Amino acid sequence: MWGTISARDEKKRRRGLSLRFKIAAVFTLFTAALLLGVNTYPIMTSRDMVYATKKTALQSQGSVVSSSLSALEELTADSVSRVMELLDVTPVTRMLVTDGAGRILYDTDRSGSNLGRYALLSGVASALEGNAWFTCAYSYADGAFASRSATPVMAGGTVTGAVYLYDYDTEQGDIIAGLRDNLFNMSLLFAVACFLIIAVLSATMTRRIKRLTAAVEVVRGGDYSYRIPVEGRDELAELSDEFNVLTGRLEDTEEARRRFVSDASHELRTPLAAIRLLSDSITQSGDMDADTMREFAQDIGSEAERLQRITEKLMTLTRLDAGVSNRQRESVDMKDVAERTLHLLQPLAAAQNVTIVTAFGEGCVVSASADDLYQIIFNLAENAVKYNIPGGSVTISLKAAGSKALLTVADTGIGIPEADREHVFDRFYRVDKARSRASGGSGLGLAIVRDAVAANGGEIWVAPRAERGTVFSVAFPLCQTEKEGRT
Ligand code: ADP
């Protein structure tokens, strides 16, 4: 529709200059600066070298002529011509000799039309004031060096005339022009090659970045199974690799979340359906006797209790998942927590005809949340009683071993088959559903234990007991001060 900007266009507008443009611009500027330097510096240095040579050559030639003329008593056109015939001077483009007033007495320009005229040249004026003078200029247009020098002729301390030399050199000019053309052609080739490389490089780089951005958009849209093909071994390949690992994690988490929600709703639906059925039976049967009604009401009560237990456990798991603990970690003696917990479990053990044996060592002080430790010990010991046999026993021991505090809960119960052992810590996993349900289990106890152990920096593992039953072991790092005290 006219006048509306799509979110994608809006994003593009906000983004400003593209990375590709920036890379290309930086490289182009850099190359241009480099080529400018390459094209100007050698030309400038060569030109300066030619200037210096010209200066030495012209000034020494001027000095030779002026010192020969200084021997003359008076500078006249004839006397100067005679001296010049005797002198073997390297030919220059033009040579003028003037008297003390600046009148031309000698001119290599044989036309002779300038003889007797005043030389209105700044170089001559400077030489007549007694100063040697030199100038040199390179003309790019003509490809030639034009050098001029003027030297005073001195006799008895006074300036009697001036020698003016003019040199127009196209030979050196040609060398400089050739150098300039060669540099320019090479630079042109270099610039074209650079431009092509920059174009290819920036296109490849931005193509890969665009692919990453597109992949992020796909995953953001909810497709966690998307993976980027990893090309090469550079930083972008590393980024793609990390992206794939990240999406893999997201996929696992999403799958776990989905399974958790479906398992949780299933678990909640069962007691709710039972409550519904029982309450319907009460309301629909008009002549129910008081005893049956009380029995139904008791059943409703126990199902509600079960619902409450499940929701409490779900909340505990959610808290552990989020990593927000309203329970502070502190130095806790595990023995105190274990004694308090077992005290509460004694009635259940007595009802099941199970004996609890304890072997608590000293010095098991760990940095943990006392409430989490309580959950861990309670759930493990409760399971050891629940899944035991009448007349069986539960041995709970606690000792400091090396830098760890080790808690073991061993029972003489029904045991866990090997295939189920690695799954018992999964949420809602139950080896024997009927037995777990009958004993009020939800399949969440060991999941809570595992998360609580991890949240407090510990480790947990399960193994079969040698004769019969199961052993759960938990290890926590001992508090620093405790370790020092023992050594
Ligand atoms: P539940 O609430 O069902 O006890 P848990 O997460 O505590 O859930 O335990 C998961 C499953 O592991 C139990 O259903 C049970 O089958 C098995 N289990 C746990 N502890 C023991 C044990 N000490 N002996 C035998 N089986 C056990």
Side-chain angles (χ1 to χ4, degrees):
M1 208 208 292
W2 293 112
T4 51
I5 307 169
S6 73
R8 195 175 253 270
D9 290 343
E10 174 61 18
K11 240 203 271 174
K12 265 193 189 159
R13 195 182 59 76
R14 260 189 288 130
R15 198 165 52 208
L17 295 176
S18 75
L19 187 61
R20 186 178 180 178
F21 177 81
K22 283 183 192 161
I23 294 172
V26 167
F27 271 96
T28 310
L29 278 179
F30 180 74
T31 316
L34 186 79
L35 291 182
L36 193 72
V38 165
N39 274 272
T40 50
Y41 184 71
I43 303 280
M44 274 163 57
T45 1
S46 316
R47 207 184 48 194
D48 290 349
M49 268 162 60
V50 174
Y51 283 173
T53 334
K54 291 281 172 201
K55 187 174 184 182
T56 322
L58 283 194
Q59 282 188 337
S60 64
Q61 217 170 323
S63 305
V64 170
V65 176
S66 93
S67 58
S68 306
L69 293 175
S70 63
L72 295 174
E73 265 177 33
E74 194 191 351
L75 292 188
T76 60
D78 287 343
S79 60
V80 172
S81 294
R82 254 181 281 123
V83 172
M84 295 311 287
E85 272 162 29
L86 292 172
L87 273 179
D88 183 19
V89 182
T90 323
V92 285
T93 312
R94 194 172 178 188
M95 186 190 310
L96 295 177
V97 178
T98 68
D99 63 10
R103 249 193 319 264
I104 299 173
L105 303 174
Y106 177 81
D107 188 354
T108 50
D109 182 356
R110 294 288 168 192
S111 65
S113 57
N114 288 322
L115 287 180
R117 288 189 183 172
Y118 284 98
L120 301 172
L121 297 162
S122 56
V124 172
S126 176
L128 291 179
E129 280 168 15
N131 305 315
W133 176 89
F134 175 81
T135 173
C136 182
Y138 174 70
S139 153
Y140 280 98
D142 305 342
F145 284 92
S147 327
R148 295 168 176 87
S149 86
T151 318
V153 181
M154 307 287 288
T158 53
V159 181
T160 55
V163 179
Y164 181 84
L165 299 172
Y166 170 63
D167 181 54
Y168 186 77
D169 185 351
T170 49
E171 214 172 287
Q172 302 273 4
D174 283 349
I175 294 173
I176 299 279
L179 178 68
R180 190 191 57 195
D181 291 349
N182 279 342
L183 283 174
F184 182 75
N185 291 339
M186 270 164 47
S187 302
L188 208 62
L189 268 177
F190 182 74
V192 171
C194 276
F195 182 76
L196 287 177
I197 293 171
I198 291 164
V200 171
L201 266 183
S202 63
T204 319
M205 199 183 275
T206 42
R207 181 176 52 81
R208 292 170 68 194
I209 292 175
K210 270 189 187 153
R211 204 155 53 184
L212 257 167
T213 316
V216 171
E217 275 172 13
V218 171
V219 173
R220 198 187 54 192
D223 181 2
Y224 298 132
S225 62
Y226 190 84
R227 299 286 181 277
I228 306 177
V230 181
E231 260 176 35
R233 297 186 332 173
D234 55 10
E235 286 86 346
L236 281 179
E238 208 176 304
L239 191 61
S240 308
D241 234 354
E242 287 297 324
F243 174 85
N244 288 342
V245 172
L246 188 71
T247 39
R249 286 254 178 89
L250 272 177
E251 200 177 10
D252 291 348
T253 313
E254 180 56 18
E255 172 55 29
R257 189 190 66 82
R258 225 176 266 153
R259 203 171 341 111
F260 180 66
V261 169
S262 116
D263 288 348
S265 25
H266 177 78
E267 287 299 322
L268 294 174
R269 212 182 303 127
T270 318
L272 277 175
I275 291 173
R276 181 88 197 270
L277 198 73
L278 290 163
S279 63
D280 280 355
S281 308
I282 296 173
T283 48
Q284 279 162 20
S285 96
D287 54 350
M288 189 178 275
D289 62 278
D291 283 347
T292 320
M293 203 179 286
R294 197 172 303 113
E295 201 182 305
F296 276 23
Q298 268 170 0
D299 287 348
I300 290 175
S302 65
E303 288 301 326
E305 215 175 276
R306 194 168 141 71
L307 266 178
Q308 195 181 355
R309 264 201 314 273
I310 295 174
T311 43
E312 269 167 13
K313 285 189 172 171
L314 284 175
M315 278 170 74
T316 308
L317 272 174
T318 313
R319 178 182 66 80
L320 287 166
D321 259 358
V324 278
S325 183
N326 48 6
R327 306 161 187 218
Q328 288 291 311
R329 274 171 81 163
E330 57 199 325
S331 289
V332 191
D333 192 338
M334 286 179 77
K335 187 180 167 191
D336 296 343
V337 184
E339 275 169 353
R340 191 157 42 90
T341 314
L342 297 184
H343 185 67
L344 291 171
L345 265 176
Q346 283 301 347
L348 178 71
Q352 304 258 336
N353 191 19
V354 171
T355 324
I356 296 181
V357 183
T358 56
F360 294 158
E362 295 298 325
C364 290
V365 180
V366 296
S367 166
S369 143
D371 286 342
D372 286 349
L373 283 182
Y374 167 78
Q375 288 267 9
I376 294 163
I377 300 171
F378 186 89
N379 283 352
L380 292 177
E382 189 192 31
N383 279 351
V385 172
K386 267 190 335 193
Y387 301 107
N388 219 313
I389 49 166
S393 69
V394 174
T395 309
I396 302 170
S397 58
L398 195 57
K399 63 176 178 191
S403 59
K404 306 264 170 134
L406 185 69
L407 165 84
T408 53
V409 180
D411 64 60
T412 56
I414 57 172
I416 304 172
E418 195 180 343
D420 295 296
R421 232 170 276 146
E422 60 173 313
H423 297 295
V424 288
F425 296 105
D426 294 351
R427 294 169 181 191
F428 298 111
Y429 192 87
R430 286 175 287 203
V431 179
D432 182 347
K433 278 201 172 19
R435 180 163 182 156
S436 163
R437 208 176 280 278
S439 55
S442 58
L444 290 172
L446 286 181
I448 291 176
V449 169
R450 184 198 48 195
D451 288 1
V453 167
N456 289 280
E459 294 166 80
I460 183 164
W461 62 99
V462 58
R465 198 169 148 269
E467 303 91 74
R468 181 196 163 88
T470 314
V471 187
F472 280 90
S473 312
V474 183
F476 284 110
L478 281 172
C479 269
Q480 209 62 30
T481 46
E482 198 53 37
K483 263 191 287 175
E484 279 158 16
R486 293 190 317 117
T487 48

